[in-house]
């Protein structure tokens, strides 16, 4: 099994912790919320053994990467700048960018707005949605009305941080192994009312799914116990700022080869339509729906995701 090496890279004015394995064409792996480079542990090994240079940073605000204080430091412009700067720091002109959850949004936007640096793109769980017709928080308020919705709950600094940091092991166990608070189809989430917290009414399971070990959860918990949740939550607090700062996403198309992977039971499907991205990504090779899988797709179904990812990569021009 290929060794994973850890080092720190300076990019875009900050320091990012990076996990890296293998040599060859660069594949950049961008994680989502509330995760870590560790979410790509299975892909790092598989890509390295297949002849690729696989690099998975802790996104700014997470793990051992820098955590700037201002909320606006977590805008999509800054995150894309981190990704482009990471290529520069690694001495690479281009990369295939792969993302999951918020990392997927980053990957799509990097491909759309920096096509000279990202030669292909793979998104997981979150489709490419372009630019909303109005600021996202306004859109969510229209969509959900008086219903509780996690992204709106996250908007006030300090509130979700206090909830999650009160018992970090319980928080990560509930989110990864239980009913996640972003599952708007779950009865426990539908029963929430404004003023409730993210974890209100959610069970914390004693038994873990077969794809997740106690050691895995302990790693995530240790990372968030050290870093806190503020940086990761600030990503959600920039959605309206992104809408204002990136109007070009309204007309940008992604012309690079692309692949989208999502779990059949991923709750994101309930509020992020997949078919709409076909017009925005004309060279979308496939929308791969993995039967029975949920949101944490690259961890839940590592072998299937790795097979699809490697098959896609092998078709790309050298």
């Amino acid at each position: 099994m290929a060794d994973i090496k850890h080092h720190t890279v300076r990019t875009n004015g900050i320091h990012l912790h990076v996990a890296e394995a293998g040599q060859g064409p660069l594949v950049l792996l961008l994680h989502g919320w509330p995760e870590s480079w560790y979410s790509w542990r299975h892909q790092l090994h598989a890509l390295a053994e297949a002849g690729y240079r696989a690099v998975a940073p802790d996104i700014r605000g997470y793990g051992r990467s820098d955590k700037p204080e201002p909320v606006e430091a977590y805008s999509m412009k800054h995150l894309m700048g981190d990704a482009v700067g990471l290529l520069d720091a690694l001495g690479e002109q281009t990369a295939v960018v792969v993302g999951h959850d918020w990392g997927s949004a980053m990957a799509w936007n990097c491909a759309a707005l920096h096509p000279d640096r990202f030669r292909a793109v793979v998104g997981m769980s979150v489709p490419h949605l372009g630019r909303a017709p109005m600021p996202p928080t306004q859109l969510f308020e229209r969509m959900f009305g008086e219903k509780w919705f996690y992204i709106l709950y996250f908007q006030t600094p300090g509130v979700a941080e206090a909830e999650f940091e009160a018992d970090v092991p319980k928080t990560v166990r509930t989110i990864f192994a239980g009913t996640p608070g972003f599952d708007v189809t779950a009865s426990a989430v539908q029963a929430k009312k404004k003023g409730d917290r993210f974890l209100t009414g959610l069970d914390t399971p004693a038994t873990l799914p077969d794809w997740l070990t106690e050691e895995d959860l302990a790693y995530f918990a240790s990372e968030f116990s050290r870093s806190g949740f503020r940086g990761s939550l600030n990503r959600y607090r920039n959605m309206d700022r992104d809408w204002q700062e990136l109007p070009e996403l309204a007309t940008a198309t992604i012309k690079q080869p692309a692949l989208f992977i999502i779990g059949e039971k991923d709750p994101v499907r309930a509020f992020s339509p997949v078919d709409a991205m076909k017009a925005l990504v004309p060279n979308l090779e496939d929308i791969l729906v993995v039967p029975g899988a949920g949101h944490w797709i690259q961890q839940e179904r590592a072998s299937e995701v790795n097979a699809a990812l490697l098959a896609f990569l092998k078709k790309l021009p050298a």
Side-chain angles (χ1 to χ4, degrees), residues 233-293:
L233 289 165
N234 279 341
R235 172 80 289 271
Y236 292 90
R237 297 167 185 151
N238 277 279
M239 295 178 76
D240 287 352
R241 181 175 285 106
D242 297 339
W243 188 87
Q244 294 165 350
E245 290 185 345
L246 299 171
E248 57 268 39
L249 286 175
T251 55
T253 57
I254 295 172
K255 298 180 175 65
Q256 300 95 309
L259 173 67
F260 182 63
I261 305 173
I262 192 167
E264 177 191 18
K265 297 182 179 180
D266 192 328
V268 174
R269 296 180 74 188
F271 56 89
S272 292
V274 170
D275 286 341
M277 74 172 170
K278 291 178 180 177
L280 299 171
V281 192
N283 291 314
L284 183 65
E285 179 182 285
D286 193 14
I287 296 174
L288 177 61
V289 180
V290 180

Side-chain angles (χ1 to χ4, degrees), residues 4-288:
I4 296 176
K5 301 174 182 177
H6 296 265
H7 56 105
T8 299
V9 172
R10 183 163 180 81
T11 168
N12 198 27
I14 64 167
H15 294 90
L16 293 183
H17 163 250
V18 167
E20 177 174 352
Q23 295 181 335
L26 178 61
V27 180
L28 181 62
L29 303 164
L30 305 176
H31 69 78
W33 182 88
E35 300 183 75
S36 152
W37 75 266
Y38 188 77
S39 301
W40 299 108
R41 59 197 179 279
H42 306 299
Q43 288 68 45
L44 284 164
H45 290 302
L47 288 164
E49 290 169 4
Y52 295 93
R53 183 185 188 186
V55 171
D58 281 333
I59 303 301
R60 66 164 63 199
Y62 288 84
R64 284 169 270 175
S65 291
D66 282 353
K67 301 160 190 67
E69 187 66 23
V71 171
E72 59 269 22
Y74 297 84
S75 70
M76 187 60 70
K77 271 192 170 182
H78 284 297
L79 293 172
M80 288 190 294
D82 292 350
V84 171
L86 184 53
L87 266 60
D88 293 338
L90 294 171
E92 301 278 2
Q93 179 58 36
T94 63
V96 176
V97 62
V98 180
H100 170 256
D101 187 80
W102 264 122
S104 183
M106 289 174 59
W108 292 123
N109 290 334
C110 281
L113 301 181
H114 298 277
D116 58 323
R117 305 304 302 272
F118 299 98
R119 64 190 183 97
V121 55
V122 180
M124 300 183 193
S125 295
V126 175
H128 181 51
L129 301 175
R131 187 175 189 251
M134 63 184 72
T137 59
Q138 293 181 27
L139 183 63
F140 293 139
E141 286 168 353
R142 287 194 182 188
M143 289 173 64
F144 292 95
E146 292 303 309
K147 295 179 181 178
W148 185 93
F149 185 54
Y150 77 106
I151 290 178
L152 296 176
Y153 169 69
F154 285 169
Q155 292 304 307
T156 303
V159 175
E161 289 94 325
E163 178 189 7
F164 293 150
E165 292 167 12
D167 188 340
V168 173
K170 179 181 179 181
T171 294
V172 297
R173 191 180 192 93
T174 304
I175 292 173
F176 280 105
T179 299
F182 52 80
D183 186 353
V184 298
T185 67
S187 57
V189 176
Q190 291 179 345
K192 289 178 185 287
K193 55 186 182 298
K194 287 195 172 181
D196 282 347
R197 298 181 299 173
F198 187 95
L199 301 174
T200 300
L202 304 183
D203 292 330
T204 304
T207 303
L208 299 181
D210 59 7
W211 58 268
L212 188 67
T213 68
E214 294 290 350
E215 290 75 18
D216 295 334
L217 273 185
Y219 186 86
F220 285 117
S222 69
E223 292 293 274
F224 282 102
S225 293
R226 182 175 60 248
S227 70
F229 282 83
R230 186 177 187 277
S232 69
L233 289 165
N234 279 341
R235 172 80 289 271
Y236 292 90
R237 297 167 185 151
N238 277 279
M239 295 178 76
D240 287 352
R241 181 175 285 106
D242 297 339
W243 188 87
Q244 294 165 350
E245 290 185 345
L246 299 171
E248 57 268 39
L249 286 175
T251 55
T253 57
I254 295 172
K255 298 180 175 65
Q256 300 95 309
L259 173 67
F260 182 63
I261 305 173
I262 192 167
E264 177 191 18
K265 297 182 179 180
D266 192 328
V268 174
R269 296 180 74 188
F271 56 89
S272 292
V274 170
D275 286 341
M277 74 172 170
K278 291 178 180 177
L280 299 171
V281 192
N283 291 314
L284 183 65
E285 179 182 285
D286 193 14
I287 296 174
L288 177 61

